Amino acid sequence: MRRLFIALVLAIATLPAHAALFGKSPEKSAAEAAAANMSAATIWIDASWGFRNQGAANSLSKAHNAFAARGYKVVSVEPYIENGDLQGFFVTYQKP
């Protein structure tokens, strides 16, 4: 799991277009990825705000819906845990 996370972070760091999607709403990220005709996009879904279980599930659902509306499918959802606490998820979408 740790190796996958490190590989994901390194991959994101080498692709500035992907990194630009961080810190935005899923709807805006999906729209920008589609407008840039990106074949794949990775975003961050924060789970540290509000309720970790219901809030994170709602945030993931909104992100999945935003990307699905633009033709993307979920490739992976990787949780990021720090000091035993869930911080959020790296979610990767890809156009088939």
Side-chain angles (χ1 to χ4, degrees):
M1 180 68 97
R2 185 175 174 97
R3 286 185 192 172
L4 179 60
F5 173 73
I6 292 170
L8 180 63
V9 170
L10 290 175
I12 291 168
T14 61
L15 300 170
H18 287 257
L21 297 176
F22 284 87
K24 299 178 182 176
S25 73
E27 294 81 10
K28 187 168 185 172
S29 295
E32 289 181 10
N37 201 31
M38 295 171 67
S39 61
T42 299
I43 65 168
W44 169 255
I45 301 295
D46 191 3
S48 61
W49 175 255
F51 299 105
R52 285 195 170 95
N53 53 8
Q54 189 62 28
N58 288 339
S59 296
L60 285 168
S61 293
K62 288 178 185 177
H64 294 345
N65 288 334
F67 275 85
R70 290 167 179 81
Y72 288 87
K73 295 198 181 290
V74 178
V75 174
S76 72
V77 178
E78 293 296 326
Y80 174 68
I81 298 170
E82 187 174 298
N83 296 324
D85 292 326
L86 176 64
Q87 298 298 310
F89 301 90
F90 288 101
V91 185
T92 301
Y93 298 94
Q94 186 173 22
K95 280 197 175 181

